[in-house]
Amino acid sequence: MSLPNEMPPEGQPAAGRAPQHHRDTRQAILRGFTNRCPKCGKGHMMRGYLQIVDRCENCGEPLGSYPAADGPAFFTITNIMLLLIPMIAATWVWFRLSPFVMLVVLSALTSVMTLILLRYVKGAFVGYLWAKDEQDPGA
């Protein structure tokens, strides 16, 4: 008899859970990055700018049950800030702009880059969640 907190033997599902099929994480992330269903790679993952579709139009996979929450925003902001540091230095050294002009130019550039990157990061994030089968328990 096994204790309730014991892990099941390898290769067997935990009690109450269906066996999980292998999902290729790299392929799911790449498909999500390109706005494609992580399962079939054919259906669109997003409707509009950032809204995840409820189900894939091609294979019927329930993509709406993978909550991205604030993860994509966090990773996007982190990457943009890492790019902003050398952009500030390069702008200051090469163009010698006044601080106010540099603030306006870099703010606009940062905003545009963030809006472009956010959609790709969210798709990749949902692809990762799909690969690891991290569904919203309330969905």
Side-chain angles (χ1 to χ4, degrees):
M1 182 167 150
S2 66
L3 297 174
N5 292 337
E6 248 182 55
M7 296 294 290
E10 194 157 331
Q12 293 182 6
R17 288 192 69 173
Q20 223 180 14
H21 299 288
H22 175 71
R23 296 179 175 186
D24 186 9
T25 305
R26 172 181 261 158
Q27 185 179 43
I29 290 172
L30 290 174
R31 286 177 174 174
F33 187 80
T34 59
N35 189 28
R36 298 291 176 196
C37 171
K39 182 178 182 181
C40 67
K42 293 184 173 99
H44 291 283
M45 180 186 288
M46 292 185 209
R47 173 179 45 247
Y49 177 58
L50 287 175
Q51 186 178 9
I52 303 295
V53 297
D54 290 332
R55 293 193 166 277
C56 174
E57 61 204 28
N58 188 53
C59 67
E61 183 71 18
L63 299 175
S65 62
Y66 296 97
D70 294 333
F74 171 77
F75 286 110
T76 301
I77 290 169
T78 302
N79 287 321
I80 294 298
M81 287 303 155
L82 288 172
L83 293 173
L84 186 61
I85 295 166
M87 286 186 344
I88 290 171
T91 304
W92 182 255
V93 169
W94 292 335
F95 301 113
R96 292 287 181 179
L97 300 174
S98 72
F100 179 74
V101 172
M102 193 163 97
L103 174 71
V104 170
V105 169
L106 288 178
S107 294
L109 186 60
T110 302
S111 298
V112 169
M113 287 172 36
T114 300
L115 291 173
I116 291 170
L117 188 60
L118 182 59
R119 180 177 168 95
Y120 296 110
V121 172
K122 184 168 184 176
F125 199 83
V126 171
Y128 175 80
L129 291 174
W130 177 86
K132 299 300 179 186
D133 199 25
E134 293 291 329
Q135 291 187 22
D136 184 9

